Amino acid sequence: MSELLRPAADWELKSLITQCGEQNRPVEVVGSGTKRAIGHPVDASAMITTASLRGITLYEPTELVMSARAGTPLSQIEVELASRGQMLPFEPLDFSAALASPGGQATIGGVFATNNSGARRISVGSARDHLIGMRGVNGRAEQFKSGGRVMKNVTGYDVARALTGSWGTLAIMTEVTFKVAPLPDDIATIVYSGLPEDLAVELLSLAMGTPYEVSGTVHLTSGHAARIGTAPLAGQKTSLTALRIENFMKSVRYRKSRLIDALKAYGRPVELDLEASLSFWGELRRMAFTPHSDAILWRISTSPRKAADLVATLRRHMPVEATYDWSGGLVWLEIPDCADAGAADIRRAVAIAGGHATLIRANESVRREVDVFQPQAPGLEKLSRGLKLAFDPQGLLNPGRMYQTM
Amino acid sequence: MTSIELPHPDADIVDRRDAIVKDLTAIVGARAIISDVDGRRAYETDAFTAYKRLPLAVILPETTEVVAAVLGYCHQNGIKVVPRGAGTSLCGGALPAEDAIVVGVSRMNKVIEIDTSARTARVQTGITNLAISAAVGPNGFFYAPDPSSQLACTLAGNIAMNSGGAHCLKYGVTTNNILGVKLVMMDGSIVDIGGDHLDAEGYDLLALVVGSEGQLGVVTEATVRILPQAEGARPMLIGFESTAKASICVSRIIASGIVPVAIEFMDRPAIEVCEAFAKAGYPLDVEALLIVEVEGSEEEIGDRLAYIAGLAEELGPTSLIISADDAQSARIWKGRKSAFGAIGRKADYLCMDGTIPLSQLTHVLEEIGNICSRYGLGVANVFHAGDGNLHPLVMYDANDLRQAERAEQAGADILRLCVSVGGCLTGEHGVGIEKRDLMRVQFSDVDLAQQMRIKTLFDPAWLLNPAKVFPLDGRPQPIRAGPPVAVTPVAAE
């Protein structure tokens, strides 16, 4: 069991990292560890958690901005926002069911460190788009800041945003400042059944090209759809293709009917009201379509235009269930357990289609052998390696988590 | 004005000018190089016109490969490079130097591919901002960031400065709308970052490139997000007897759950000048004017504007005008977008660009007035209120050197004020040379050192867009490249 370090202040974290540097002792960095099973296993004799760096430090509902210390539970932030009729617009995913990690414990720092964004990303942008400032400590044990608390800020390089999605390998964020948004007045969902993947992605893309501000675009193949429990979709044996509209009540009514009309070639959809919509998109947010099992889970980011073909290619090699989000641009691909987690076939298909693939769920021995993040072209790899050195020259923070030799 | 220090040109490079021009001509061909004095004069400054420097030569490449060859040559020979879009920078971001080559991307202005199903467009970055929207417009799409200079400014410049615009309250700024770039590094290598998918792989290098003011590389191609045009859009004008009331109104609109596409603010001096110039129909009996625009169907627009009008009426506005038709809407926006030009006809001005938390607006506007009157200068305010991005225009007479100096001092005081209330030095114009020496007001030396290590990673010899962004003192020692290598031509005559 590794030693657990729980700094409660920035200066305490700084002194811990200083010691690690002096002893040349790498550390694993976590929030509450809900996504610890993603990435290469980190070999370190100590673990630093931000869990004791807690609390909302600024909330200005009239400016749509909030600051919180990194270890603040996401649940606390969402409760506080909801009390003022606001939300985190990018809808971060809850990985606990998919990874069998403890539920409801994700921290806001972890959300940004992994650039964790859900279905609404398609219309409002990702976690990285909402981060406007941070404080933290880098691998040189230096306390630094970037950005601030205002939405428009081009003063100096955008270091804060560059830290999103760096999985704790560059710096440990101690406080994050981000944009929030009003909760919608009303939500409706329209769901089409039985569409094949290529037609479904076509429909989702078409919907995104309308002016009705569709804020959720997802397609589940029949195996994934069968795991959805929201009435009236529960027990379906066919694929599901769903579109979400959020707005003021009158607008939702109007836009829904216009959308159904524009998409009538694809059949007659089932309509979900506010409550059923909350339930359905809640299930997607909790990744109910892929509960923890031996099955391998990949996350593939590609152009919507290529997505269905890419999955069809893979299906020739292996049994596949898939959930397409972001109008097809994000594919959650589930395949049976196998020696290399399907990496060789998947990497080849992604290389042809463009984009990248990340191994999200596989047992530890596979994650030691297989590249978890997309291997990079030489030019990019050189920059990534240089960036790591610019923040963490001794390689103290989460060594090897993203790339085995960094 | 002379208060901003510019480094002495490297005499060795200046002395070798003829040989360098000869080498570069061999690489790019005579059509792509400007070396005569009159030709170079057109590139001696940008929209921050108080500073002028004649560049060593100007290269206008037509392909990424030529850009790469030029940068590779300059890297090997220790020659500085100033990348340039359309030269509309308000902070001296494209100011050349006597010992530097200007590499302008203006001839690389083609649309490469439009994909309406994935809602992306791949373009060369010399294309103007507005030309992207024009190219995708017939398909019912547009490119969202809309800086006031959008008719002239290039995407390359927008990427360098992470440009915003009036409508970024809803649609975000440049960094939120770029999916991929082709980046020519200073050593002449070409790196593709991101692509046509929504999240780039690995570390978020795009976040670093966008807003790096041309100091990390030259972006020659980019994939941008395009968005479907709204069914319609319409602004309303709300005038108040005080800026305090106007700022409360902005807060109430945002707190109510409506996020309009734009909330613009003008004070009395700005209103008067814009109205005289554009005949926009602005009320002249108000101290503060808001332009609030919403989008949607006709009915949705009507509902939303009526709701906002209701919120405003609780504050007793002096004037409340809902645009009746497209022609009126166009006039209203013409007034706002021509503000800088209109004020420029009346006086020389320095346009500041600090951003502040909205809750500080009334206090900050009052203080800006105090600062300017302390220096004996006039000021007009016209800015994006929805996101707190101020644009105080400090007016002065450029022929009066002492006045010009006072204007710079007033501007610096205003920016210190913005930082002291929790804001920043620049919201969308960039640091350039203008705000370079104020960076320590916002950042510690540790913060700056972290940023400068990133600069060194991309450009170890610090040749790209020198003398910008970071204070001149405290920079790391440049790491020079190896000995010069032979010239290889890439462009046929």
Side-chain angles (χ1 to χ4, degrees):
Chain A
M1 187 65 198
S2 64
E3 187 187 355
L4 183 66
L5 308 167
R6 302 174 64 101
D10 288 32
W11 62 264
E12 197 181 347
L13 174 61
K14 176 187 162 77
S15 91
L16 287 173
I17 302 288
T18 304
Q19 286 169 29
C20 290
E22 285 164 1
Q23 298 162 8
N24 214 0
R25 182 190 192 200
V27 287
E28 182 171 359
V29 182
V30 298
S32 66
T34 57
K35 294 177 276 291
R36 200 177 162 223
I38 304 176
H40 294 295
V42 174
D43 293 314
S45 60
M47 182 191 272
I48 291 185
T49 169
T50 57
S52 294
L53 293 158
R54 242 179 219 240
I56 293 167
T57 45
L58 170 97
Y59 181 26
E60 288 282 356
T62 60
E63 294 172 16
L64 303 175
V65 62
M66 179 182 267
S67 302
R69 299 175 82 206
T72 312
L74 177 60
S75 54
Q76 182 188 340
I77 282 172
E78 298 203 302
V79 166
E80 183 67 27
L81 286 169
S83 76
R84 302 297 296 264
Q86 296 185 340
M87 63 174 180
L88 271 186
F90 53 90
E91 216 174 1
L93 296 171
D94 177 350
F95 282 91
S96 56
L99 299 176
S101 56
Q105 293 187 12
T107 63
I108 191 69
V111 165
F112 287 103
T114 58
N115 189 19
N116 177 1
S117 318
R120 208 181 283 105
R121 188 269 172 267
I122 188 71
S123 59
V124 300
S126 59
R128 66 87 85 173
D129 290 305
H130 288 82
L131 187 75
I132 54 177
M134 58 71 62
R135 288 176 188 281
V137 177
N138 62 17
R140 300 167 178 258
E142 295 168 338
Q143 282 175 261
F144 71 103
K145 67 170 183 302
S146 168
R149 58 161 290 196
V150 290
M151 287 189 198
K152 272 167 85 180
N153 185 347
V154 297
T155 322
Y157 298 166
D158 199 345
V159 173
R161 214 178 295 279
L163 291 173
T164 56
S166 65
W167 293 81
T169 61
L170 298 179
I172 302 176
M173 292 192 265
T174 56
E175 185 185 60
V176 286
T177 303
F178 44 92
K179 293 193 281 184
V180 302
L183 278 165
D185 210 32
D186 191 18
I187 309 172
T189 306
I190 56 176
V191 187
Y192 298 79
S193 294
L195 291 177
E197 286 151 271
D198 52 348
L199 275 186
V201 172
E202 186 184 286
L203 174 148
L204 299 176
S205 297
L206 211 59
M208 283 309 298
T210 67
Y212 309 122
E213 299 180 307
V214 175
S215 70
T217 49
V218 68
H219 172 78
L220 299 89
T221 57
S222 55
H224 276 182
R227 293 170 180 156
I228 294 295
T230 299
L233 307 175
Q236 283 252 10
K237 297 202 165 45
T238 60
S239 72
L240 295 175
T241 310
L243 297 172
R244 176 173 61 184
I245 307 148
E246 299 171 298
N247 217 300
F248 292 93
M249 221 173 280
K250 234 168 118 184
S251 283
V252 165
R253 230 174 14 241
Y254 161 76
R255 292 177 179 211
K256 184 178 67 182
S257 73
R258 292 300 297 260
L259 205 55
I260 291 173
D261 201 37
L263 301 169
K264 59 174 180 262
Y266 298 87
R268 266 180 74 99
V270 173
E271 297 180 28
L272 306 186
D273 62 7
L274 173 66
E275 213 166 307
S277 292
L278 285 172
S279 161
F280 174 71
W281 294 99
E283 285 194 272
L284 289 174
R285 198 179 162 189
R286 293 190 304 276
M287 303 179 75
F289 52 86
T290 179
H292 187 257
S293 72
D294 285 344
I296 305 284
L297 182 68
W298 286 85
R299 176 189 187 279
I300 299 173
S301 183
T302 188
S303 166
R305 209 169 30 145
K306 309 281 180 56
D309 271 356
L310 192 159
V311 173
T313 305
L314 291 171
R315 199 168 271 133
R316 280 187 233 126
H317 301 282
M318 55 187 98
V320 166
E321 291 294 338
T323 290
Y324 297 74
D325 201 343
W326 303 354
S327 78
L330 180 71
V331 183
W332 295 99
L333 190 87
E334 193 179 313
I335 60 171
D337 192 12
C338 62
D340 77 335
D345 292 325
I346 288 168
R347 297 271 180 231
R348 193 178 320 117
V350 170
I352 293 164
H356 59 97
T358 311
L359 179 56
I360 298 295
R361 185 174 64 216
N363 67 45
E364 192 176 318
S365 61
V366 173
R367 284 185 290 119
R368 279 191 191 281
E369 295 303 317
V370 171
D371 285 321
V372 171
F373 289 82
Q374 180 79 17
Q376 297 191 304
L380 269 187
E381 203 262 342
K382 191 176 157 198
L383 287 175
S384 299
R385 195 172 289 280
L387 198 63
K388 172 75 175 171
L389 290 175
F391 282 89
D392 179 22
Q394 272 179 273
L396 298 177
L397 307 178
N398 270 353
R401 179 148 191 205
M402 289 179 78
Y403 305 104
Q404 270 170 327
T405 59
M406 276 182 218
Chain B
M1 281 184 279
T2 52
S3 63
I4 299 171
E5 184 194 342
L6 295 171
H8 285 295
D10 182 334
D12 177 49
I13 298 285
V14 176
D15 287 349
R16 280 161 51 206
R17 184 172 176 271
D18 288 347
I20 292 168
V21 167
K22 192 166 158 242
D23 284 355
L24 285 169
T25 308
I27 295 172
V28 305
R31 228 181 71 80
I33 185 164
I34 298 171
S35 57
D36 62 299
V37 173
D38 286 348
R40 285 185 283 148
R41 186 83 65 203
Y43 295 84
E44 68 181 357
T45 187
D46 53 21
F48 190 58
T49 52
Y51 292 82
K52 294 178 172 57
R53 289 290 183 278
L54 204 60
L56 200 72
V58 178
I59 313 277
L60 301 175
E62 292 182 36
T63 66
T64 299
E65 289 67 32
V66 172
V67 174
V70 170
L71 264 55
Y73 169 82
C74 290
H75 178 69
Q76 288 297 333
N77 291 282
I79 303 163
K80 299 183 182 80
V81 172
V82 176
R84 185 180 177 100
T88 57
S89 173
L90 290 161
C91 64
L95 179 75
E98 292 93 334
D99 57 352
I101 305 290
V102 168
V103 175
V105 294
S106 56
R107 286 185 185 167
M108 302 174 62
N109 59 2
K110 292 179 196 61
V111 174
I112 300 165
E113 189 189 8
I114 296 169
D115 183 346
T116 52
S117 70
R119 298 167 310 286
T120 61
R122 183 146 189 91
V123 298
Q124 292 183 321
T125 55
I127 192 168
T128 62
N129 174 292
L130 203 57
I132 304 174
S133 287
V136 300
N139 298 319
F141 288 81
F142 73 109
Y143 174 63
D146 62 337
S148 296
S149 57
Q150 67 186 147
L151 187 63
C153 64
T154 62
L155 181 63
N158 293 176
I159 290 172
M161 294 307 186
N162 190 12
S163 304
H167 291 81
C168 56
L169 185 56
K170 180 169 178 187
Y171 295 115
V173 296
T174 302
T175 196
N176 309 116
N177 289 281
I178 300 288
L179 298 178
V181 298
K182 191 178 277 300
L183 181 76
V184 181
M185 306 273 296
M186 190 63 216
D187 65 5
S189 59
I190 300 168
V191 180
D192 285 299
I193 304 174
D196 54 4
H197 43 288
L198 281 178
D199 57 347
E201 66 183 82
Y203 292 132
D204 198 337
L205 299 170
L206 275 180
L208 294 174
V209 170
V210 178
S212 62
E213 308 206 5
Q215 292 199 312
L216 302 187
V218 178
V219 177
T220 56
E221 288 179 16
T223 305
V224 304
R225 289 173 70 211
I226 53 173
L227 301 173
Q229 293 162 356
E231 285 181 90
R234 209 159 5 124
M236 69 189 294
L237 297 170
I238 314 170
F240 289 100
E241 69 201 358
S242 72
T243 55
K245 278 192 177 179
S247 97
I248 294 170
C249 186
V250 174
S251 297
R252 289 202 183 165
I253 291 169
I254 291 175
S256 77
I258 294 183
V259 180
V261 272
I263 307 180
E264 298 288 295
F265 181 111
M266 301 167 99
D267 69 1
R268 182 188 277 275
I271 299 165
E272 282 169 1
V273 175
C274 293
E275 181 58 20
F277 180 81
K279 305 280 177 289
Y282 296 159
L284 292 169
D285 56 345
V286 299
E287 285 304 319
L289 180 68
L290 299 176
I291 306 174
V292 183
E293 181 163 86
V294 299
E295 290 180 339
S297 68
E298 264 310 302
E299 201 188 338
E300 287 175 322
I301 289 172
D303 286 354
R304 220 106 353 135
L305 289 178
Y307 184 78
I308 293 171
L311 290 174
E313 258 154 17
E314 289 169 19
L315 294 163
T318 315
S319 148
L320 209 154
I321 305 161
I322 292 181
S323 166
D325 53 38
D326 290 350
Q328 191 177 358
S329 303
R331 277 201 305 280
I332 287 172
W333 277 115
K334 186 178 170 228
R336 165 62 186 88
K337 292 215 169 186
S338 58
F340 292 5
I343 291 166
R345 284 156 67 108
K346 201 180 142 204
D348 300 297
Y349 66 81
L350 280 185
C351 175
M352 309 320 290
D353 175 44
T355 306
I356 56 156
L358 211 52
S359 53
Q360 301 290 327
L361 186 61
T362 308
H363 163 68
V364 169
L365 288 181
E366 202 173 301
E367 275 304 301
I368 288 176
N370 293 341
I371 289 170
C372 290
S373 62
R374 207 153 54 228
Y375 286 100
L377 301 167
V379 63
N381 283 287
V382 42
F383 59 90
H384 316 303
D387 47 34
N389 186 191
L390 303 182
H391 289 318
L393 302 173
V394 181
M395 292 178 274
Y396 69 100
D397 176 359
N399 295 318
D400 178 343
L401 281 184
R402 274 184 313 195
Q403 224 185 80
E405 207 151 294
R406 288 210 306 277
E408 274 192 359
Q409 285 161 359
D413 285 358
I414 289 170
L415 294 184
R416 283 191 197 96
L417 168 69
C418 290
V419 174
S420 74
V421 299
C424 67
L425 296 173
T426 171
E428 58 184 2
H429 295 172
V431 177
I433 55 163
E434 184 204 16
K435 284 158 287 226
R436 182 191 70 197
D437 298 329
L438 291 169
M439 286 290 270
R440 289 200 180 93
V441 175
Q442 188 172 331
F443 293 112
S444 72
D445 284 343
V446 173
D447 301 337
L448 289 174
Q450 182 63 70
Q451 295 180 34
M452 288 193 286
R453 278 195 295 274
I454 292 165
K455 162 71 174 167
T456 301
L457 164 64
F458 282 78
D459 175 20
W462 281 65
L463 295 172
L464 266 170
N465 218 8
K468 318 280 167 67
V469 183
F470 301 107
L472 295 180
D473 63 306
R475 293 180 170 209
Q477 273 301 317
I479 305 159
R480 292 289 180 207
V485 291
V487 170
T488 2
V490 293
E493 261 308 89

